[in-house]
Amino acid sequence: MADQLGAQVMTSIWRGHVPGRSGDVFLVPRPGNFVAVSKDACGVTGGAPNADTAHPMPWASLARVPLLFYGPGRVPAGRTVYTPTDLASMAPTYAKLLADTSFTADGTALPEISSGTAPPKLVVTVVVDGGGWNTLQLHPGAWPNIERLIRDGTSYANATNGSAPSITGAIHATMGTGDYPAKAGIPGNQMRGPDAKVIDTWLDRADPRFLRVPTLSDQWDLTNGNRPVVGAIAYEGWHLGFLGHGAATPGGDRDPALLWDAKAMRWWTNERDYSLPAGFRDPDLADLRSHESGLDARDGVIDGKWFSQPIESLLADPDQRVGTSAFMQFTGDAALKLLHDGRFGGDDVPDLLWLEFKGPDTAGHLWNVVSPEEGDVLSAVDEQVGRLRSALDRQVGRENYVLALTADHGQQPLPELTGGWRIDGQQLRVSIDARFGRLVQQLSATEIFLDHAAMRREGVTAEDVARFVAAQTIADNLKANRESGVAPARLGESMFAGAFSANFLESLNPSAIEAFGPSSYPEGDLTIDPPAGS
Ligand SMILES: [Zn+2]
């Protein structure tokens, strides 16, 4: 199966595997398929299937992300580079911009970007969460400001997120550290913790203890006596791998790191390691409401709905409320306020600002990436990119900053549109336990954590489980005694392109991976060719 997946995909999986922390079996659903883990996500009890899909797979549609830089004097204008690269190049490129020669990482600096005659006063990074190329290309009219940045700067057309699983926590840590998860230590959003339990990689409280290496921002702050202003606005702890450890680094300071508590409707942070600036202690909810009052009109019709979502119920649900374009406008307001109040770019000591816009990912999970709601949220993020650029021109000066934009992963369209299949995660777990005894500790869309004591008791290895999973067909995944309604022609279809034990992944090395050669799957080719004649 590794041979069929090919060297590029297996490299991503290998870089993304953190021994001892990643699951025991890594799952690779066939292109278009995904493991649905939420309750009855497959609609098997008679309801409509959930619009939620999953995006941790290593395929091109999920791994290919925008990576672009804008900064007159330091970033060539109008340039599209087709040399393959990935997000581990970001931190080393920033080190080069800042003329910091001591920073080392897995990634290498992008040769096109330089510090010019002097380092910029500010480097700003915008992360469009879930805004990989497939998301952008599904909504081609929604991002004119990003297109303008591409025209005025340098864009890397063959950038990938660098590792699999293609998931928020892992990839943000790569952006900040320049290291892949195998070294940075954050395998995803969940991991096996020190006491063998499966835990949140940021302990659900923005705790950076599992990030094993310093970020570029950590190092830059520390080597300059904490004089640089380093800060972030994001949604939850998983993103803070792009920023760093704050005061958890010996000698480090509490950098501003604003996260949003959707239920309590307030900004928060882990105040032991980061700070919540005074101006954000009382969130400006009137500002959020004023944006929300504009939602109805954004689809062109005043009918009490934002696209197909009734606004009243939408705003009554804290999780849906943050998936709207209004919340992206609110996030943009906060970004501009932090830029201003924090005096980013205010002196000659270069500063680093990291901004994550969660909405495209949230809207994609709620209504799917193909929905018009997703397009509207993307266009709201794009509006904030335009506002940010103007604010930077005004406040820092056109020649004095570099603005980078990227995404952590793409998103999976509804399987009805791709010919894919929702793999019933709950049933898969039932099947494994029925075959081997009660082994499954946790099953996610990307991996299976096994109960090691139960494995010893039953005499089962992770290889046994991987082999079993790899052979599962659609028929195997149907609940017993259920009228399936599945077309007979699909019953024998295998659901997975791969299932790999931790031992297998840990036995690989770059030359063994190289030998897997090109992928048998078109989605296993992570690169595109330059347009003919260029
Ligand atoms: Zn994400």
Side-chain angles (χ1 to χ4, degrees):
M1 285 181 133
D3 203 53
Q4 286 176 344
L5 291 183
Q8 287 184 57
V9 165
M10 288 310 297
T11 298
S12 294
I13 295 171
W14 181 66
R15 287 168 173 168
H17 178 77
V18 185
R21 291 185 176 182
S22 292
D24 300 278
V25 177
F26 186 81
L27 302 171
V28 187
R30 293 171 69 87
N33 292 5
F34 64 94
V35 178
V37 288
S38 55
K39 192 170 178 298
D40 198 29
C42 305
V44 290
T45 55
N50 204 317
D52 192 5
T53 54
H55 54 67
M57 291 76 79
W59 305 117
S61 56
L62 302 162
R64 291 177 45 75
V65 291
L67 177 61
L68 51 108
F69 296 82
Y70 166 76
R74 299 178 184 89
V75 180
R79 193 133 175 221
T80 299
V81 178
Y82 286 84
T83 313
T85 184
D86 64 55
L87 300 190
S89 69
M90 293 180 78
T93 299
Y94 291 7
K96 186 174 160 196
L97 272 169
L98 301 172
D100 175 344
T101 53
S102 66
F103 186 76
T104 55
D106 285 342
T108 48
L110 298 164
E112 294 78 12
I113 318 285
S114 74
S115 65
T117 50
K121 292 183 175 183
L122 174 63
V123 181
V124 184
T125 309
V126 170
V127 180
V128 184
D129 204 302
W133 274 120
N134 83 327
T135 303
L136 296 179
Q137 285 165 347
L138 281 163
H139 303 280
W143 35 284
N145 288 299
I146 295 175
E147 284 186 283
R148 229 179 92 217
L149 283 178
I150 292 174
R151 279 199 304 277
D152 297 344
T154 296
S155 169
Y156 293 84
N158 277 319
T160 66
N161 56 8
S163 65
S166 184
I167 199 164
T168 306
I171 307 300
H172 278 74
T174 295
M175 295 176 197
T177 63
D179 291 325
Y180 303 113
K183 186 166 156 203
I186 303 286
N189 301 342
Q190 272 79 41
M191 60 178 250
R192 190 183 290 285
D195 64 356
K197 287 204 183 74
V198 179
I199 55 173
D200 182 279
T201 44
W202 290 74
L203 293 172
D204 293 309
R205 54 170 193 261
D207 187 320
R209 73 181 59 196
F210 295 117
L211 182 62
R212 279 183 179 140
V213 294
T215 62
L216 180 272
S217 303
D218 283 337
Q219 175 167 326
W220 179 247
D221 210 7
L222 206 57
T223 53
N224 289 282
N226 291 314
R227 283 182 305 142
V229 190
V230 170
I233 293 186
Y235 185 69
E236 55 216 329
W238 299 334
H239 312 291
L240 293 184
F242 66 1
L243 176 69
H245 295 79
T249 299
D253 61 347
R254 291 164 62 237
D255 303 310
L258 282 74
L259 308 173
W260 183 253
D261 182 334
K263 300 244 171 359
M265 297 283 286
R266 62 179 180 90
W267 297 105
W268 70 284
T269 200
N270 154 17
E271 294 201 55
R272 186 192 63 197
D273 301 325
Y274 310 102
S275 67
L276 188 63
F280 291 90
R281 293 203 172 266
D282 275 319
D284 188 354
L285 296 181
D287 175 55
L288 176 58
R289 283 189 202 103
S290 83
H291 293 310
E292 288 171 343
S293 70
L295 278 175
D296 194 344
R298 284 184 71 97
D299 56 16
V301 186
I302 304 291
D303 58 354
K305 288 179 175 179
W306 174 60
F307 298 89
S308 50
Q309 311 308 318
I311 286 171
E312 214 181 302
S313 60
L314 179 73
L315 298 184
D317 179 336
D319 297 323
Q320 292 191 42
R321 195 169 180 180
V322 297
T324 65
S325 44
F327 188 69
M328 291 298 91
Q329 295 168 314
F330 177 72
T331 305
D333 292 343
L336 263 52
K337 180 176 162 60
L338 182 65
L339 176 72
H340 177 269
D341 294 3
R343 299 180 41 78
F344 281 84
D347 59 26
D348 287 332
V349 182
D351 302 327
L352 293 154
L353 177 60
W354 298 84
L355 304 171
E356 181 260 356
F357 287 88
K358 188 69 186 175
D361 183 71
T362 306
H365 281 295
L366 289 168
W367 304 297
N368 198 264
V369 65
V370 301
S371 67
E373 288 85 351
E374 174 77 21
D376 191 52
V377 171
L378 258 189
S379 77
V381 172
D382 184 78
E383 289 158 22
Q384 307 319 305
V385 171
R387 287 176 72 203
L388 179 65
R389 181 171 168 178
S390 306
L392 288 166
D393 284 348
R394 250 188 346 263
Q395 186 179 318
V396 185
R398 184 179 294 246
E399 312 286 322
N400 296 329
Y401 70 90
V402 170
L403 174 59
L405 184 140
T406 189
D408 52 353
H409 50 80
Q411 297 186 51
Q412 183 77 358
L414 289 168
E416 287 76 4
L417 302 172
T418 61
W421 192 261
R422 283 181 187 79
I423 299 167
D424 185 336
Q426 297 197 14
Q427 183 57 35
L428 181 61
R429 178 181 185 142
V430 168
S431 303
I432 296 167
D433 282 347
R435 169 71 183 77
F436 295 105
R438 289 178 64 94
L439 287 189
V440 178
Q441 188 178 345
Q442 187 167 311
L443 187 146
S444 76
T446 186
E447 61 197 337
I448 306 172
F449 292 91
L450 298 169
D451 177 337
H452 292 178
M455 287 165 76
R456 280 191 295 273
R457 198 171 57 233
E458 305 287 341
V460 177
T461 65
E463 286 72 30
D464 297 332
V465 177
R467 233 175 257 116
F468 174 78
V469 169
Q472 287 274 297
T473 63
I474 288 177
D476 295 329
N477 193 230
L478 298 175
K479 283 189 169 58
N481 305 320
R482 186 171 59 78
E483 224 13 89
S484 74
V486 176
R490 295 202 70 167
L491 287 171
E493 198 176 300
S494 61
M495 300 187 295
F496 291 95
F500 303 107
S501 72
N503 279 339
F504 172 73
L505 296 176
E506 288 161 29
S507 76
L508 296 175
N509 58 57
S511 62
I513 294 172
E514 213 44 55
F516 295 135
S519 182
S520 309
Y521 298 91
E523 275 263 19
D525 181 357
L526 307 186
T527 58
I528 57 166
D529 297 328
S534 73

